[in-house]
PDB file of all heavy atoms in Angstrom:
ATOM      1  N   ILE A  31     -46.093 -10.242  -0.875  1.00  0.00           N
ATOM      2  CA  ILE A  31     -46.073  -8.786  -1.279  1.00  0.00           C
ATOM      3  C   ILE A  31     -44.985  -8.052  -0.482  1.00  0.00           C
ATOM      4  O   ILE A  31     -44.287  -7.244  -1.177  1.00  0.00           O
ATOM      5  CB  ILE A  31     -47.481  -8.170  -0.975  1.00  0.00           C
ATOM      6  CG1 ILE A  31     -48.574  -8.767  -1.915  1.00  0.00           C
ATOM      7  CG2 ILE A  31     -47.446  -6.670  -1.167  1.00  0.00           C
ATOM      8  CD1 ILE A  31     -49.952  -8.334  -1.631  1.00  0.00           C
ATOM      9  N   LEU A  32     -44.874  -8.266   0.779  1.00  0.00           N
ATOM     10  CA  LEU A  32     -43.786  -7.573   1.542  1.00  0.00           C
ATOM     11  C   LEU A  32     -42.461  -7.975   1.041  1.00  0.00           C
ATOM     12  O   LEU A  32     -41.552  -7.206   0.930  1.00  0.00           O
ATOM     13  CB  LEU A  32     -43.975  -7.912   2.988  1.00  0.00           C
ATOM     14  CG  LEU A  32     -43.000  -7.252   3.921  1.00  0.00           C
ATOM     15  CD1 LEU A  32     -43.096  -5.721   3.919  1.00  0.00           C
ATOM     16  CD2 LEU A  32     -43.144  -7.822   5.341  1.00  0.00           C
ATOM     17  N   GLU A  33     -42.244  -9.239   0.608  1.00  0.00           N
ATOM     18  CA  GLU A  33     -41.013  -9.685   0.144  1.00  0.00           C
ATOM     19  C   GLU A  33     -40.628  -9.027  -1.167  1.00  0.00           C
ATOM     20  O   GLU A  33     -39.490  -8.615  -1.477  1.00  0.00           O
ATOM     21  CB  GLU A  33     -41.018 -11.192  -0.023  1.00  0.00           C
ATOM     22  CG  GLU A  33     -39.651 -11.850  -0.314  1.00  0.00           C
ATOM     23  CD  GLU A  33     -38.751 -11.746   0.872  1.00  0.00           C
ATOM     24  OE1 GLU A  33     -39.158 -11.676   1.963  1.00  0.00           O
ATOM     25  OE2 GLU A  33     -37.483 -11.878   0.594  1.00  0.00           O
ATOM     26  N   ARG A  34     -41.601  -8.850  -2.023  1.00  0.00           N
ATOM     27  CA  ARG A  34     -41.395  -8.168  -3.304  1.00  0.00           C
ATOM     28  C   ARG A  34     -41.075  -6.718  -3.143  1.00  0.00           C
ATOM     29  O   ARG A  34     -40.289  -6.164  -3.892  1.00  0.00           O
ATOM     30  CB  ARG A  34     -42.688  -8.291  -4.223  1.00  0.00           C
ATOM     31  CG  ARG A  34     -42.858  -9.718  -4.744  1.00  0.00           C
ATOM     32  CD  ARG A  34     -44.125  -9.752  -5.591  1.00  0.00           C
ATOM     33  NE  ARG A  34     -44.375 -11.098  -6.094  1.00  0.00           N
ATOM     34  CZ  ARG A  34     -45.484 -11.429  -6.852  1.00  0.00           C
ATOM     35  NH1 ARG A  34     -46.350 -10.400  -7.175  1.00  0.00           N
ATOM     36  NH2 ARG A  34     -45.702 -12.595  -7.220  1.00  0.00           N
ATOM     37  N   VAL A  35     -41.731  -6.022  -2.152  1.00  0.00           N
ATOM     38  CA  VAL A  35     -41.456  -4.627  -1.886  1.00  0.00           C
ATOM     39  C   VAL A  35     -40.020  -4.398  -1.372  1.00  0.00           C
ATOM     40  O   VAL A  35     -39.295  -3.504  -1.830  1.00  0.00           O
ATOM     41  CB  VAL A  35     -42.503  -4.003  -0.950  1.00  0.00           C
ATOM     42  CG1 VAL A  35     -42.089  -2.615  -0.430  1.00  0.00           C
ATOM     43  CG2 VAL A  35     -43.870  -4.060  -1.549  1.00  0.00           C
ATOM     44  N   ASN A  36     -39.646  -5.259  -0.419  1.00  0.00           N
ATOM     45  CA  ASN A  36     -38.320  -5.066   0.180  1.00  0.00           C
ATOM     46  C   ASN A  36     -37.208  -5.585  -0.684  1.00  0.00           C
ATOM     47  O   ASN A  36     -36.060  -5.072  -0.677  1.00  0.00           O
ATOM     48  CB  ASN A  36     -38.276  -5.823   1.499  1.00  0.00           C
ATOM     49  CG  ASN A  36     -39.171  -5.175   2.548  1.00  0.00           C
ATOM     50  OD1 ASN A  36     -39.453  -4.000   2.475  1.00  0.00           O
ATOM     51  ND2 ASN A  36     -39.625  -5.988   3.508  1.00  0.00           N
ATOM     52  N   ASN A  37     -37.449  -6.532  -1.617  1.00  0.00           N
ATOM     53  CA  ASN A  37     -36.477  -7.074  -2.459  1.00  0.00           C
ATOM     54  C   ASN A  37     -36.993  -7.142  -3.925  1.00  0.00           C
ATOM     55  O   ASN A  37     -37.400  -8.199  -4.374  1.00  0.00           O
ATOM     56  CB  ASN A  37     -36.068  -8.528  -2.003  1.00  0.00           C
ATOM     57  CG  ASN A  37     -35.495  -8.509  -0.621  1.00  0.00           C
ATOM     58  OD1 ASN A  37     -34.387  -8.059  -0.348  1.00  0.00           O
ATOM     59  ND2 ASN A  37     -36.243  -9.045   0.355  1.00  0.00           N
ATOM     60  N   PRO A  38     -37.103  -5.986  -4.584  1.00  0.00           N
ATOM     61  CA  PRO A  38     -37.622  -5.990  -5.904  1.00  0.00           C
ATOM     62  C   PRO A  38     -36.713  -6.613  -6.866  1.00  0.00           C
ATOM     63  O   PRO A  38     -35.459  -6.698  -6.697  1.00  0.00           O
ATOM     64  CB  PRO A  38     -37.785  -4.509  -6.223  1.00  0.00           C
ATOM     65  CG  PRO A  38     -36.754  -3.829  -5.361  1.00  0.00           C
ATOM     66  CD  PRO A  38     -36.676  -4.671  -4.127  1.00  0.00           C
ATOM     67  N   VAL A  39     -37.297  -7.181  -7.982  1.00  0.00           N
ATOM     68  CA  VAL A  39     -36.492  -7.825  -9.036  1.00  0.00           C
ATOM     69  C   VAL A  39     -35.768  -6.734  -9.825  1.00  0.00           C
ATOM     70  O   VAL A  39     -36.051  -5.474  -9.618  1.00  0.00           O
ATOM     71  CB  VAL A  39     -37.376  -8.602  -9.992  1.00  0.00           C
ATOM     72  CG1 VAL A  39     -38.004  -9.738  -9.270  1.00  0.00           C
ATOM     73  CG2 VAL A  39     -38.484  -7.721 -10.586  1.00  0.00           C
ATOM     74  N   ALA A  40     -34.855  -7.115 -10.609  1.00  0.00           N
ATOM     75  CA  ALA A  40     -33.910  -6.221 -11.222  1.00  0.00           C
ATOM     76  C   ALA A  40     -34.679  -5.260 -12.175  1.00  0.00           C
ATOM     77  O   ALA A  40     -34.327  -4.022 -12.259  1.00  0.00           O
ATOM     78  CB  ALA A  40     -32.823  -6.939 -12.052  1.00  0.00           C
ATOM     79  N   ARG A  41     -35.642  -5.705 -12.862  1.00  0.00           N
ATOM     80  CA  ARG A  41     -36.396  -4.749 -13.806  1.00  0.00           C
ATOM     81  C   ARG A  41     -37.210  -3.785 -13.101  1.00  0.00           C
ATOM     82  O   ARG A  41     -37.600  -2.704 -13.609  1.00  0.00           O
ATOM     83  CB  ARG A  41     -37.291  -5.617 -14.730  1.00  0.00           C
ATOM     84  CG  ARG A  41     -38.424  -6.383 -14.129  1.00  0.00           C
ATOM     85  CD  ARG A  41     -39.186  -7.114 -15.220  1.00  0.00           C
ATOM     86  NE  ARG A  41     -40.267  -7.849 -14.671  1.00  0.00           N
ATOM     87  CZ  ARG A  41     -40.239  -9.170 -14.243  1.00  0.00           C
ATOM     88  NH1 ARG A  41     -39.091  -9.773 -14.299  1.00  0.00           N
ATOM     89  NH2 ARG A  41     -41.316  -9.721 -13.745  1.00  0.00           N
ATOM     90  N   PHE A  42     -37.580  -4.036 -11.795  1.00  0.00           N
ATOM     91  CA  PHE A  42     -38.340  -2.990 -11.044  1.00  0.00           C
ATOM     92  C   PHE A  42     -37.445  -2.231 -10.085  1.00  0.00           C
ATOM     93  O   PHE A  42     -37.920  -1.178  -9.609  1.00  0.00           O
ATOM     94  CB  PHE A  42     -39.403  -3.786 -10.193  1.00  0.00           C
ATOM     95  CG  PHE A  42     -40.425  -4.446 -10.951  1.00  0.00           C
ATOM     96  CD1 PHE A  42     -40.914  -5.730 -10.687  1.00  0.00           C
ATOM     97  CD2 PHE A  42     -40.933  -3.864 -12.198  1.00  0.00           C
ATOM     98  CE1 PHE A  42     -41.849  -6.389 -11.384  1.00  0.00           C
ATOM     99  CE2 PHE A  42     -41.891  -4.528 -12.979  1.00  0.00           C
ATOM    100  CZ  PHE A  42     -42.315  -5.766 -12.598  1.00  0.00           C
ATOM    101  N   ALA A  43     -36.256  -2.647  -9.802  1.00  0.00           N
ATOM    102  CA  ALA A  43     -35.377  -1.939  -8.843  1.00  0.00           C
ATOM    103  C   ALA A  43     -35.058  -0.504  -9.394  1.00  0.00           C
ATOM    104  O   ALA A  43     -35.021   0.471  -8.612  1.00  0.00           O
ATOM    105  CB  ALA A  43     -34.139  -2.683  -8.614  1.00  0.00           C
TER     106      ALA A  43
END
Side-chain angles (χ1 to χ4, degrees):
I31 292 173
L32 182 63
E33 189 69 22
R34 290 180 182 178
V35 171
N36 292 334
N37 301 287
V39 294
R41 64 177 181 272
F42 296 139

